[in-house]
């Protein structure tokens, strides 16, 4: 079977060949190795035993490693130190202080309990269920005791999936956002809890979530990793450049900081998710078209993505917006840079059109891949260039 995919690597296979599954990158394309060659193969062309270690496949959510990473203070310190993030939740609760009086609130994945404390401190809810599956929850219990909120905050040390509450709640608040919004797919747990425990007219905080993207110049990033090999110490190491592109740019850079002046056009909103209505199964694959009008000459190195979430006020049309993008104060999420293999020169008036497809990993349930397809049309240079690249996050 000759699998000659135009823009991806060619891999010659015959019926009955065995390949090693390296990465079920998307539901449609799997990255495999055959006789020392790697390439993408349509997933529906393959069947049979998975080469993965059985023990690995037993834990597709990698819960032990995942909750293990939240039992120490490192990640909680990072999240609490993130002022724009934490203050946004505090502002929402402050703005809705009256509306929250006497209400039942579920804080899902409460960590150290900061959001639950804001609810108990700034309003007078009937009860706040603070749910946390990692071992940090033992500390959270103590903090509630030591701060005198045991009457209001009930700490439940369990996974949302096992939750048993005496009644449904009026508000489901959670800080669930990961790299590129979706990584970790804690969102599935939030939606499960919504479907089981949120009243019909209940409120989701955040209420909506959006992924934004913009084409950008990333010269320092590209030069330091690829052009570096042109002449280190006067020697010609340029034959290493393809290996450098593969090694450094096959996955996105999750801690990139995009400067406004490196944007090549206005950003666009790729996804706009209503968290009250989206169905869990919709998370498997979400896609969006984009069209950027280049508004300055420059080198198009890649596309940078970030997310924003909106919190709808209970008694008014106002909303609080937490935007993690380059035009707002930096957050611990920073920005996610999808670097192309080959930079291209673009001019004002050029158009970069294409699509971004967010495909959840069918095996590793906290992971996804982003397939970006682009086409650049340049009236001034009378050229058209196009391409496609699949970025696993992280499997
Ligand atoms: N990207 C993030 N905001 N991660 C924060 C995740 C916090 O929620 C906790 N958490 C994540 N999923 C769950 C779940 N299904 N049930 C309970 N706690 C959870 C996790 O242990 C950590 O304290």
């Amino acid at each position: 079977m000759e699998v000659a995919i135009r823009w991806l690597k060619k891999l010659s296979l015959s019926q009955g060949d065995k390949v090693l599954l390296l990465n079920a990158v998307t539901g449609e394309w799997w990255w495999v190795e055959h006789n020392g060659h790697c390439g993408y193969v349509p997933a529906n062309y393959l069947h049979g035993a998975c080469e993965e270690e059985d023990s690995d496949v037993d834990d597709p959510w990698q819960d032990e490693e995942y909750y293990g990473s939240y039992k120490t203070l490192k990640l909680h310190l990072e999240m609490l130190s993130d002022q724009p993030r934490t203050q946004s939740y505090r502002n929402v609760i402050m703005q809705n202080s009256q509306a929250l009086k006497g209400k039942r609130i579920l804080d899902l994945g409460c960590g150290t309990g900061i959001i639950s404390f804001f609810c108990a401190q700034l309003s007078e809810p009937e009860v706040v269920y603070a749910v946390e599956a990692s071992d940090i929850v033992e500390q959270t219990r103590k903090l509630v005791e030591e701060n005198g909120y045991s009457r209001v905050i009930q700490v439940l040390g369990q996974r949302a999936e096992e939750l048993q509450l005496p009644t449904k709640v009026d508000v489901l608040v959670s800080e669930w956002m990961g790299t590129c919004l979706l990584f970790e797919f804690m969102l599935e747990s939030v939606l499960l809890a919504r479907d089981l425990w949120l009243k019909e007219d209940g409120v989701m905080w955040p209420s909506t979530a959006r992924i934004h993207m913009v084409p950008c110049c990333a010269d320092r990033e590209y030069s330091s990793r690829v052009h570096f090999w042109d002449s280190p110490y006067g020697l010609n190491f340029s034959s290493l450049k393809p290996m450098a592109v593969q090694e450094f740019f096959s996955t996105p850079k999750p801690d990139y900081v995009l400067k406004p002046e490196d944007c090549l056009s206005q950003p666009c909103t790729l996804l706009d998710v209503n968290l009250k209505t989206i169905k869990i199964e919709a998370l498997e694959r979400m896609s969006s078209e984009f069209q950027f009008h280049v508004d300055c000459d420059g080198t198009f190195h890649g596309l940078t993505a970030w997310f924003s979430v909106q919190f709808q006020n209970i008694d008014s049309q106002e909303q609080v917006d937490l935007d993690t993008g380059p035009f707002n104060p930096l957050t611990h999420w920073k920005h996610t840079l999808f670097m192309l293999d080959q930079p291209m020169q673009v001019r004002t008036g050029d158009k970069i059109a294409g699509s971004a497809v967010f495909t959840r990993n069918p095996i590793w349930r906290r992971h996804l891949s982003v397939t970006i397809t682009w086409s650049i049309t340049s009236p001034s240079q009378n050229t058209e260039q196009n391409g496609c690249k699949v970025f696993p996050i992280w499997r």
Side-chain angles (χ1 to χ4, degrees):
M1 166 180 66
E2 174 82 13
V3 186
I5 300 144
R6 187 165 49 85
W7 59 82
L8 300 174
K9 301 203 173 201
K10 201 175 270 192
L11 198 60
S12 298
L13 293 174
S14 309
Q15 184 143 13
D17 279 349
K18 273 187 89 174
V19 296
L20 178 63
L21 170 61
L22 299 175
N23 191 338
V25 180
T26 70
E28 295 137 74
W29 296 101
W30 287 9
W31 179 251
V32 300
E33 183 265 324
H34 177 63
N35 289 348
H37 298 282
C38 293
Y40 288 101
V41 178
N44 61 5
Y45 279 24
L46 299 169
H47 65 85
C50 176
E51 299 280 339
E52 294 272 354
E53 279 297 311
D54 285 352
S55 57
D56 285 359
V57 180
D58 284 352
D59 184 12
W61 282 83
Q62 303 162 289
D63 273 356
E64 193 172 330
E65 176 191 347
Y66 178 71
Y67 291 120
S69 71
Y70 285 107
K71 72 180 178 189
T72 55
L73 288 177
K74 181 173 181 289
L75 291 178
H76 297 289
L77 176 63
E78 183 181 51
M79 294 189 283
L80 287 174
S81 305
D82 182 340
Q83 289 277 336
R85 163 202 179 267
T86 310
Q87 195 58 47
S88 293
Y89 281 84
R90 191 170 192 282
N91 291 344
V92 173
I93 291 154
M94 201 142 44
Q95 286 182 26
N96 289 273
S97 167
Q98 284 308 312
L100 290 173
K101 275 191 175 176
K103 291 293 194 308
R104 295 169 172 276
I105 301 170
L106 168 56
D107 175 4
L108 178 53
C110 69
T112 54
I114 188 68
I115 295 172
S116 297
F117 283 115
F118 289 158
C119 292
Q121 198 180 42
L122 302 168
S123 181
E124 292 161 36
E126 181 189 313
V127 62
V128 184
Y129 299 114
V131 177
E132 173 53 53
S134 78
D135 292 347
I136 198 73
V137 75
E138 294 320 315
Q139 308 308 321
T140 313
R141 280 191 220 288
K142 279 189 237 157
L143 296 175
V144 169
E145 191 71 37
E146 288 154 3
N147 285 275
Y149 288 113
S150 306
R151 256 186 353 87
V152 181
I153 300 174
Q154 287 186 28
V155 179
L156 303 172
Q158 57 192 148
R159 291 171 61 239
E161 288 75 3
E162 295 137 12
L163 201 51
Q164 287 301 327
L165 297 178
T167 61
K168 292 199 171 190
V169 296
D170 303 289
V171 178
L172 196 171
V173 60
S174 178
E175 196 280 79
W176 52 265
M177 299 79 75
T179 296
C180 210
L181 181 70
L182 298 168
F183 176 66
E184 292 179 31
F185 277 94
M186 179 181 165
L187 178 54
E188 173 168 333
S189 306
V190 173
L191 299 182
L192 203 69
R194 174 200 66 187
D195 295 346
L196 291 173
W197 299 109
L198 184 65
K199 287 179 183 170
E200 200 58 41
D201 62 348
V203 170
M204 289 288 286
W205 279 341
S207 317
T208 51
R210 296 171 185 150
I211 295 182
H212 311 271
M213 192 175 261
V214 73
C216 65
C217 172
D219 192 52
R220 191 164 11 85
E221 189 64 25
Y222 196 88
S223 298
S224 63
R225 283 169 170 67
V226 179
H227 295 321
F228 169 84
W229 304 101
D230 283 331
S231 57
Y233 304 96
L235 292 162
N236 174 6
F237 279 21
S238 55
S239 62
L240 293 177
K241 287 162 81 166
M243 189 173 164
V245 168
Q246 173 74 18
E247 182 174 330
F248 301 122
F249 300 145
S250 291
T251 57
K253 181 178 171 55
D255 58 353
Y256 187 61
V257 180
L258 174 65
K259 298 200 297 292
E261 57 268 30
D262 285 335
C263 296
L264 293 166
S265 79
Q266 289 301 309
C268 77
T269 300
L270 292 182
L271 296 183
D272 190 342
V273 173
N274 181 323
L275 296 159
K276 184 74 182 289
T277 57
I278 185 170
K279 297 202 177 322
I280 291 177
E281 48 271 20
L283 301 180
E284 295 308 306
R285 186 181 188 280
M286 294 180 278
S287 68
S288 172
E289 311 281 313
F290 55 70
Q291 194 162 111
F292 299 107
H293 297 280
V294 176
D295 55 21
C296 66
D297 296 357
T299 307
F300 172 37
H301 285 100
L303 296 124
T304 298
W306 65 91
F307 67 83
S308 66
V309 288
Q310 295 71 36
F311 303 81
Q312 183 60 49
N313 274 11
I314 296 174
D315 291 338
S316 77
Q317 289 312 308
E318 282 169 72
Q319 65 179 19
V320 170
D321 189 68
L322 168 56
D323 187 322
T324 67
F327 312 105
N328 293 284
L330 194 61
T331 71
H332 79 283
W333 286 285
K334 298 181 179 171
H335 311 131
T336 303
L337 171 62
F338 297 86
M339 189 76 96
L340 307 184
D341 290 356
Q342 196 55 44
M344 288 167 267
Q345 292 309 313
V346 289
R347 298 241 179 93
T348 302
D350 288 359
K351 193 173 76 176
I352 303 172
S355 67
V357 183
F358 299 82
T359 310
R360 193 172 179 186
N361 190 308
I363 297 178
W364 301 104
R365 300 306 282 153
R366 293 196 184 278
H367 299 255
L368 69 152
S369 63
V370 184
T371 304
I372 298 178
T373 306
W374 66 90
S375 168
I376 307 170
T377 44
S378 173
S380 61
Q381 302 178 75
N382 196 23
T383 54
E384 169 153 352
Q385 305 174 78
N386 56 41
C388 176
K389 186 167 176 179
V390 183
F391 295 88
I393 303 179
W394 297 106
R395 283 175 178 253

